[in-house]
Amino acid sequence: MQKYVDIAPEVAQALAQNKPVVALESTIISHGMPYPQNVETACAVEETVRAHGAIPATIAIIGGRLKVGLSKDEITYLGKKGQGVIKASRRDLAVLVARGEDGATTVATTMMIAAMAGVSVFATGGIGGVHRGAETSMDISADLEELAMTPVAVVCAGAKSILDLGLTLEYLETKGVPVIGYQTKELPAFYTRESGFLVDYRMDTPKEIAAAFHVKRELGLAGGMLVTNPIPKEDSMDRCVIEKAIETALEKAKKQGISGKAVTPFLLAEVVALTGGDSLDANIRLVKNNARLGAEIATALCEMKA
Ligand code: PSU
Ligand code: MN
């Protein structure tokens, strides 16, 4: 397995010394945000991880290599190529490596590659989930299956209501994935702090989250943990504004017959356009907020292992 993985020296050293490392994904760079904000954000998020005492490891597939830790040039390359990079979920991984191609890793593949490298904590914006209308489209993100299988704690800001949040929680329950609310009992809905749905457990400190993850691993239980961190109050959006934008985007996607892996990037871009960029600002801020919590959890986890 290691034959296909390139771990950046700084990341390898941190792992060897039981120092905290936080994985970051690359689909958010290529498909989640427009250029140049995508590159600026990816770099700023790495800085946030460092500022909180951990080493960032942005993950992607470049020239068929599974990269754990990217250079600024590599981040810029992915950001400029944007949707020209293949969005790589679990089913794409082997083919892209065999062909020596590039791939932007989703939450699912970022978890896989992080686990291969021995990285336990991963911070991002939002995860994929059960889409609205999944009862007929069967559109359920491979991210959920990965959370059921791969031992990585994923810090996100909940899920956007482009998804069916209730069904997403049901699915995670079936798959045995604990959903934690950081300092909240309510599942955050990405741009807003509230959704009307409850998480499984509220935890108030990074240490508490690390302890639960540590026990899960020591018990040999498969799968990860979903840590949902609400967007800071001052950065959150008006629920009606964002709901209306999402409804409009969903209708447009339906009319244009958008399907498969194109659905999420299409909806994300539409929502940014419909909110005049406000949703992009909120998105950037919440990712940084998650990077900070990720660094704190990774630090607490290292202390537990020491
Ligand atoms: N949700 C967001 N922003 C994102 C994504 C989801 O708010 O950038 C990306 C992530 O990479 C996630 C992927 O893993 O979309 C899910 O895609 P799909 O629904 O096709 O599995
Ligand atoms: Mn899908």
Side-chain angles (χ1 to χ4, degrees), residues 159 161 163-170 179 184-189 193-200 228 239:
S161 53
L163 302 176
D164 187 317
L165 299 184
L167 292 188
T168 300
L169 286 175
E170 290 293 347
V179 179
T184 182
K185 277 201 291 206
E186 191 163 341
L187 177 76
R193 294 174 61 85
E194 62 291 309
S195 66
F197 293 96
L198 296 180
V199 294
D200 302 328
T228 64
R239 197 167 171 175

Side-chain angles (χ1 to χ4, degrees), residues 87 129 131 139-142 260-261 263-264:
K87 175 181 159 190
H131 278 261
D139 191 348
I140 300 173
S141 175
K261 71 201 249 183
V263 171
T264 301

Side-chain angles (χ1 to χ4, degrees), residues 68-90:
V68 183
L70 297 187
S71 66
K72 184 147 192 232
D73 283 350
E74 288 168 324
I75 289 176
T76 306
Y77 166 74
L78 292 173
K80 279 195 175 157
K81 210 168 161 192
Q83 309 237 354
V85 186
I86 293 174
K87 175 181 159 190
S89 194
R90 173 173 269 269

Side-chain angles (χ1 to χ4, degrees), residues 13-25:
Q13 193 186 5
L15 290 170
Q17 298 176 347
N18 188 34
K19 298 234 171 84
V21 175
V22 176
L24 302 164
E25 63 154 305

Side-chain angles (χ1 to χ4, degrees), residues 25-168:
E25 63 154 305
S26 46
T27 291
I28 190 174
I29 304 174
S30 59
H31 291 68
M33 289 184 191
Y35 179 80
Q37 287 95 336
N38 55 1
V39 173
E40 287 160 17
T41 304
C43 295
V45 168
E46 288 208 346
E47 279 317 307
T48 305
V49 170
R50 286 184 200 283
H52 292 86
I55 300 295
T58 301
I59 290 179
I61 307 169
I62 296 186
R65 303 293 303 167
L66 307 180
K67 295 275 186 187
V68 183
L70 297 187
S71 66
K72 184 147 192 232
D73 283 350
E74 288 168 324
I75 289 176
T76 306
Y77 166 74
L78 292 173
K80 279 195 175 157
K81 210 168 161 192
Q83 309 237 354
V85 186
I86 293 174
K87 175 181 159 190
S89 194
R90 173 173 269 269
R91 58 116 185 249
D92 305 287
L93 194 76
V95 175
L96 295 181
V97 171
R99 289 183 167 175
E101 286 194 44
D102 298 331
T105 53
T106 62
V107 167
T109 32
T110 304
M111 288 179 75
M112 291 171 72
I113 299 168
M116 288 176 198
V119 178
S120 304
V121 180
F122 160 28
T124 188
I127 58 158
V130 181
H131 278 261
R132 295 196 199 177
E135 58 276 20
T136 51
S137 70
M138 291 194 56
D139 191 348
I140 300 173
S141 175
D143 291 354
L144 300 183
E145 292 294 326
E146 209 58 51
L147 280 160
M149 276 190 279
T150 303
V152 172
V154 179
V155 183
C156 69
K160 289 192 173 73
S161 53
I162 57 174
L163 302 176
D164 187 317
L165 299 184
L167 292 188
T168 300

